[in-house]
Amino acid sequence: MKFLAAVALTFLAIASPALAAGAPAKPAAAKRIVLPTDVRPDRYDIHLAPNAEALTFKGVARIDLTVVRPTDRIVLNAADLTFGKVSLSGQANAPRIVLDEEQQTAAFVFPTALAPGKYTLSIDYAGKIYQQASGLFALDYENADGSKHRALFTQFENSDARRFAPMWDEPGVKAVFALTVEAPDGQMAVSNMPEEEVITSGRPSDPLAANMKENLQRRAPGAPTTHTVRFAVSPKMSSYLLFLALGDFERIHSQVGKTDVGVVVRKGDAAKGQYALDAAVKLLTYYDDWFDTPYPLPKLDLVAGPGNSQFFSAMENWGAIFYFDSALLIDPKISTETDRQNVFITIAHEMAHQWFGDLVTMDWWDDLWLNEGFASWMENKATDHFHPEWNVWLLTQSGQQSAMRLDSRAGAHPVIADIPDVFAAANAFDSITYQKGQAVIRMLETYVGEDAFKAGVRSYIKQHAYKNAVSGDLWTALDKAAPTRRVADVAHDFLLQPGVPLIQATETAGGIALTQSRFGVDESQRAPQTWRTPVNVQGPNGQVLEVVSAKAPKTVPLGAPVIVNSGQTGYFRSAYSPALWAKLAPTFPKLTAANQLGLLYDSRALGEAGVAPMSDFLALARNTPADADPIVLDTLSSQLGAIDGLYGDRPGQAAYRDFARAQLAPIAARLGWDAKAGEADNDAVTRRGVLTTLGELHDGAVVAEARKRFAAWVKDPASLSGAGRSTVLAIVAANADAPTWEAIHAMAKASKDPTDRSRLYGYLGASDDPALANKALALALSGEPSPTQVPGIVAAVAQGFPDKAYDFAMVNRTKLEAFLEPASRITYFAELAQASRDPAMLRKLATLKATVPASTKGEIEKAEAAIRNRLDVIQARVPEMDRWLAANRG
């Protein structure tokens, strides 16, 4: 699943690091709540009859199962399902049904114990169709002609297959699935496997299908006629990978060897899906070769859905990957170069899951990183192969910083975290699992070498195909492929304990001395800790790779200046003694782009933590060349914009904004407003980033030009498209007055494209005018936006007015929860508050935390830590910046 970053991201790190010592130890695990293992499923035959208009469905499940040990009950998962007739082969009496709504289980209890052996459990049941992405859900949209449509999709990760059918809804319980659906005539049905039989008229030969069809057709007067679609039986897989879609779709496709690769879109959107199809064709061939295990299914569909989620953009269902439109489709009218890159990267991520996650699945949610960390790493490896001009490994540094921020303060958790139940599993979908996971994998690949790493992964995939695995299985394979590197030792240090190492460099007579301590933000992250850390050091006389730990400091025979973490492939912060920094900082303009990024990120983090002066970062910002790599410039822009958010109308904000605008103005002047023939793809990305940041900094010339272009576009919609349109809208929305806000509102209401409509509604929440923020909040619950657009409007307001958005959400909590995926509701509320600069928010979050289950308290603690961190930086570091700015005017 492609995870989306939090609604409010802040790059803050505070508190001096403590010296580390000792070895990592995984905390004692809490008791894991899982289903009994007396019975295991072998095959599911599920027949579904949806009623999209009524948002309900009926189903019959026939489950072939094995009783492993004598038991008087069969316990499986079920949520929001009602049961009719239930029977078990060989049993004359129907079982007693015991429901546990809290644990989302159903127990079928028999008068006497069942003997070990094979049985078939038959269940008639009914369920609900949701309007947010959980279980079987509906997405509504309008076509260009104004006609209204509803399409159905499923989203089961991490634990919502139980809302679709009663089943063993745990990743370690694999079975085969045979799915049949009653589809309204004229609609296409899509699942993991190809259609095996389509019955358009008459009575299906299968009695179950025949009964379902009859029940459906007599359910209500005027109900649509249907056709029966029976899909081929799936391979053995986990329940969360099952998929179904129903709608007014069309499909474009291409054959790649034995695999039919397709993109499924709403009718009329085929041209928007061609870019995705071309990408998928390339990637499938690449992955077949890289994994040395061909993709095993006969088809691979990429399915587009017209909506949004606040927490994910795509889901790796085996053979039928789901994407929201914005993550799959490219429309020249509204898509930017960033969109093109993100679509390719997201496709690469989800397709990598077809091996890491689908073919080989983690045994339990504590090893989620085996799915998500690897897919995040593989997306970049594959993208870099096809698009080296994008410098995607530089782009990953932003995500790694997000992980480091979270990993250095309260709320951090190990990558391999203790997950006592499926409800706690939702908390693991964060930047530590994804971005830290992929960063550690890249560090390990660099440490052992590409060839050995690939050999180990290939062995792991072959050995565990169609099975479940744990992290130790991967380390065993990698250790065999690279026996001299002791991969497991390094991996355990970084994955079994939270935290960020700090490598400190000092010049000595014998070379550069390297020591390791801990970069902590608060008391929870100051406990001594050690990591065996691969450190790549580059100096004028060579490059050295050493493993450094608190117990084993190293001295490398290099002269100054040196770059610690050269190439930025290591997961740690780098700090230099004042003497070393004095020699290194003047070389900044001549460093590689990767190392420039590393110095920018580390100098800011260390400065905000008080480990180094904030002036180190400010001086680098001032000395960044206007013609540096586009990603370096885009990063500088975002960092300067983030620091501005610390001020919150403090007296020094005007001087800081003068400084920030002075650094960005030459970049904006060089790039201009319009794309140039032959320019690099990343120039387009940086142009939008720099201009948008200048707009947020209230640069008069930039805001005036954006308003001028906006006025021209209102008169002539053809005058702006793609990145130019997006940039202008972002600037005028942030600086909107009431008439401008109403103009954007009118555009949102009139737009028939779901992605465009959602983005326009989001812009309505971006104004820095508190009165307009209030209007946006009121609009969110007015009934005008679609259900999946509502959370995004409130989240947009939270970017500038976190306290206002949070208070609104708490007052309207019940209403808002209806638009949120059940497992992610508390995460959403906590993230609304995360950008607050008001100490009162900590009291509000404490009140919320007292009302939620233990499994979700960690999400609130993450937000509390972010706010405390920000308040500390505002108090201790903003005055330091003010003094430096006053002393360095001009």
Side-chain angles (χ1 to χ4, degrees):
M1 182 158 64
K2 188 67 172 176
F3 161 76
L4 295 177
V7 295
L9 292 178
T10 52
F11 178 21
L12 300 175
I14 188 78
S16 299
L19 292 177
K26 190 173 182 178
K31 182 179 178 181
R32 185 176 293 175
I33 300 174
V34 295
L35 293 171
T37 58
D38 300 328
V39 181
R40 72 165 185 263
D42 301 311
R43 172 181 169 132
Y44 297 90
D45 282 87
I46 299 172
H47 196 123
L48 208 74
N51 183 338
E53 182 179 355
L55 293 176
T56 61
F57 65 86
K58 294 181 178 180
V60 175
R62 291 187 304 203
I63 309 173
D64 295 337
L65 54 84
T66 299
V67 175
V68 179
R69 291 178 294 275
T71 179
D72 69 344
R73 65 195 59 210
I74 298 172
V75 185
L76 41 64
N77 293 114
D80 281 351
L81 300 179
T82 58
F83 294 100
K85 180 181 178 182
V86 180
S87 63
L88 184 71
S89 61
Q91 298 292 306
N93 298 320
R96 178 168 55 92
I97 304 173
V98 179
L99 301 178
D100 185 334
E101 293 186 3
E102 182 178 347
Q103 292 301 320
Q104 299 179 344
T105 61
F108 303 111
V109 184
F110 297 88
T112 59
L114 303 171
K118 301 287 186 179
Y119 297 83
T120 298
L121 178 66
S122 298
I123 307 170
D124 292 357
Y125 67 98
K128 63 187 292 187
I129 298 173
Y130 301 87
Q131 290 191 285
Q132 78 286 112
S134 57
L136 180 63
F137 67 98
L139 293 175
D140 296 338
Y141 63 94
E142 287 185 51
N143 277 342
D145 62 5
S147 58
K148 298 181 183 297
H149 297 265
R150 171 169 288 171
L152 302 182
F153 305 89
T154 58
Q155 169 58 30
F156 294 156
E157 191 175 29
N158 58 295
S159 54
D160 284 330
R162 63 192 66 186
R163 301 178 187 276
F164 182 78
M167 62 179 72
W168 281 256
D169 195 15
E170 295 175 354
V173 185
K174 290 193 171 188
V176 300
F177 291 82
L179 182 62
T180 302
V181 64
E182 296 300 327
D185 288 346
Q187 290 194 5
M188 180 188 296
V190 183
S191 188
N192 307 79
M193 298 296 287
E195 295 174 347
E196 190 162 87
E197 181 182 24
V198 178
I199 302 170
T200 56
S201 62
R203 181 182 176 87
S205 57
D206 177 55
L208 176 60
N211 290 337
M212 289 296 293
K213 190 174 183 72
E214 290 170 4
N215 289 338
L216 179 68
Q217 291 180 340
R218 66 169 177 260
R219 71 188 177 200
T225 57
T226 65
H227 60 282
T228 304
V229 179
R230 182 165 60 87
F231 295 99
V233 179
S234 77
K236 195 174 183 181
M237 66 183 190
S238 301
S239 57
Y240 75 91
L241 298 172
L242 184 63
F243 179 75
L244 173 67
L246 272 174
D248 192 22
F249 302 143
E250 61 179 311
R251 181 176 187 266
I252 57 176
H253 65 107
S254 182
Q255 194 72 23
V256 180
K258 297 180 180 180
T259 306
D260 180 18
V261 181
V263 174
V264 178
V265 298
R266 292 172 291 119
K267 282 185 178 176
D269 274 356
K272 298 178 185 177
Q274 189 61 50
Y275 176 83
L277 179 60
D278 293 343
V281 167
K282 295 177 184 177
L283 286 162
L284 185 60
T285 302
Y286 176 81
Y287 285 149
D288 278 347
D289 175 72
W290 199 95
F291 287 108
D292 196 31
T293 297
Y295 174 77
L297 275 61
K299 66 97 174 172
L300 174 60
D301 281 328
L302 283 59
V303 183
N308 304 276
S309 166
Q310 287 304 297
F311 300 100
F312 77 101
S313 60
M315 173 62 204
E316 66 267 18
N317 315 294
W318 209 2
I321 305 171
F322 173 77
Y323 300 80
F324 287 109
D325 279 3
S326 60
L328 190 68
L329 306 184
I330 294 296
D331 182 349
K333 293 181 181 179
I334 63 171
S335 298
T336 67
E337 179 58 33
T338 298
D339 291 328
R340 285 169 44 83
Q341 294 183 9
N342 286 343
V343 165
F344 192 97
I345 291 169
T346 303
I347 293 171
H349 180 101
E350 302 304 333
M351 286 183 63
H353 272 309
Q354 306 302 291
W355 287 264
F356 259 104
D358 298 1
L359 182 61
V360 181
T361 311
M362 78 265 162
D363 190 61
W364 182 247
W365 298 106
D366 54 357
D367 273 320
L368 176 64
W369 85 280
L370 277 175
N371 287 17
E372 299 301 349
F374 263 87
S376 299
W377 169 76
M378 199 70 202
E379 75 184 35
N380 298 315
K381 194 164 190 70
T383 300
D384 189 57
H385 175 81
F386 289 106
H387 290 286
E389 74 279 7
W390 291 351
N391 285 327
V392 68
W393 289 116
L394 298 184
L395 292 172
T396 66
Q397 290 298 309
S398 175
Q400 182 171 321
Q401 299 305 310
S402 175
M404 284 182 157
R405 293 192 293 274
L406 180 56
D407 205 19
S408 59
R409 63 192 184 211
H413 60 81
V415 173
I416 302 175
D418 181 31
I419 306 293
D421 56 40
V422 296
F423 310 108
N427 303 335
F429 290 84
D430 64 8
S431 59
I432 288 180
T433 299
Y434 283 70
Q435 278 74 41
K436 181 177 181 179
Q438 78 90 16
V440 171
I441 292 165
R442 189 181 184 211
M443 181 174 67
L444 292 174
E445 184 199 29
T446 302
Y447 179 52
V448 305
E450 284 192 63
D451 291 342
F453 192 84
K454 182 191 290 186
V457 171
R458 285 176 169 180
S459 174
Y460 165 84
I461 291 289
K462 291 179 189 296
Q463 185 174 355
H464 298 282
Y466 303 103
K467 302 174 187 176
N468 294 92
V470 297
S471 293
D473 296 323
L474 180 61
W475 307 141
T476 298
L478 288 173
D479 275 338
K480 287 180 180 178
T484 63
R485 286 301 198 186
R486 299 181 61 86
V487 176
D489 290 346
V490 176
H492 288 165
D493 286 356
F494 280 86
L495 300 177
L496 293 179
Q497 59 186 356
V500 181
L502 177 67
I503 301 298
Q504 294 166 302
T506 306
E507 190 173 15
T508 69
I512 306 299
L514 304 172
T515 58
Q516 179 253 299
S517 58
R518 185 174 184 176
F519 184 79
V521 197
D522 50 38
E523 290 298 328
S524 73
Q525 294 300 299
R526 293 174 185 167
Q529 205 160 275
T530 189
W531 294 262
R532 283 160 283 196
T533 308
V535 179
N536 203 336
V537 187
Q538 184 176 23
N541 55 329
Q543 187 163 312
V544 177
L545 175 64
E546 286 282 5
V547 176
V548 181
S549 75
K551 295 180 178 180
K554 298 290 173 64
T555 297
V556 296
L558 296 174
V562 295
I563 284 286
V564 178
N565 199 12
S566 179
Q568 305 303 304
T569 59
Y571 184 83
F572 56 85
R573 293 280 181 214
S574 303
Y576 301 85
S577 66
L580 268 183
W581 182 259
K583 295 178 180 180
L584 176 61
T587 72
F588 181 78
K590 297 180 181 180
L591 297 177
T592 65
N595 290 331
Q596 287 178 335
L597 281 180
L599 290 187
L600 283 172
Y601 282 129
D602 282 342
S603 64
R604 184 181 165 206
L606 297 173
E608 290 180 339
V611 178
M614 274 302 297
S615 59
D616 287 354
F617 170 78
L618 296 172
L620 289 184
R622 186 176 57 181
N623 294 331
T624 301
D627 61 351
D629 184 275
I631 295 175
V632 173
L633 298 177
D634 196 40
T635 299
L636 175 65
S637 171
S638 65
Q639 297 297 293
L640 291 172
I643 290 176
D644 181 66
L646 297 172
Y647 275 89
D649 298 323
R650 289 173 61 93
Q653 186 172 48
Y656 174 78
R657 286 186 167 179
D658 285 343
F659 169 80
R661 289 191 292 255
Q663 313 321 308
L664 298 181
I667 304 169
R670 180 177 67 82
L671 294 173
W673 280 81
D674 301 306
K676 300 177 178 62
E679 72 176 6
D681 293 345
N682 286 343
D683 277 346
V685 176
T686 301
R687 174 183 296 110
R688 184 184 187 281
V690 170
L691 289 174
T692 300
T693 299
L694 282 168
E696 293 168 353
L697 295 170
H698 299 300
D699 182 281
V702 167
V703 173
E705 179 64 20
R707 286 173 171 163
K708 174 184 172 183
R709 289 173 177 247
F710 179 78
W713 176 55
V714 170
K715 295 178 181 178
D716 178 14
S719 65
L720 284 177
S721 63
R725 179 181 187 269
S726 174
T727 302
V728 167
L729 275 168
I731 296 169
V732 298
N735 295 274
D737 55 16
T740 302
W741 193 94
E742 291 296 348
I744 298 173
H745 184 198
M747 293 173 188
K749 290 193 292 185
S751 178
K752 298 297 188 291
D753 183 275
T755 298
D756 185 43
R757 185 178 172 91
S758 294
R759 290 177 177 176
L760 289 167
Y761 274 120
Y763 286 131
L764 293 175
S767 173
D768 61 8
D769 183 333
L772 296 179
N774 289 336
K775 289 188 69 172
L777 292 172
L779 174 66
L781 293 179
S782 68
E784 177 186 306
S786 72
T788 66
Q789 291 164 347
V790 170
I793 298 174
V794 181
V797 173
Q799 296 285 340
F801 298 97
D803 306 274
K804 186 185 294 290
Y806 180 84
D807 291 346
F808 175 85
M810 289 297 97
V811 170
N812 297 281
R813 181 173 173 178
T814 301
K815 293 179 182 178
L816 265 178
E817 285 183 341
F819 303 108
L820 298 168
E821 293 101 287
S824 302
R825 289 168 179 165
I826 301 306
T827 301
Y828 175 81
F829 295 133
E831 288 178 350
L832 291 178
Q834 193 165 301
S836 176
R837 295 184 297 267
D838 187 349
M841 180 58 75
L842 294 171
R843 295 189 292 273
K844 296 175 185 177
L845 287 174
T847 300
L848 175 65
K849 188 163 62 173
T851 69
V852 304
S855 61
T856 59
K857 291 183 187 294
E859 295 302 287
I860 300 174
E861 289 166 0
K862 292 176 187 177
E864 290 174 327
I867 294 168
R868 290 191 183 99
N869 188 20
R870 182 177 302 102
L871 293 173
D872 287 344
V873 172
I874 290 171
Q875 180 179 6
R877 306 300 161 215
V878 169
E880 180 187 340
M881 289 192 293
D882 290 343
R883 291 191 293 272
W884 186 89
L885 291 168
N888 290 271
R889 295 185 186 278

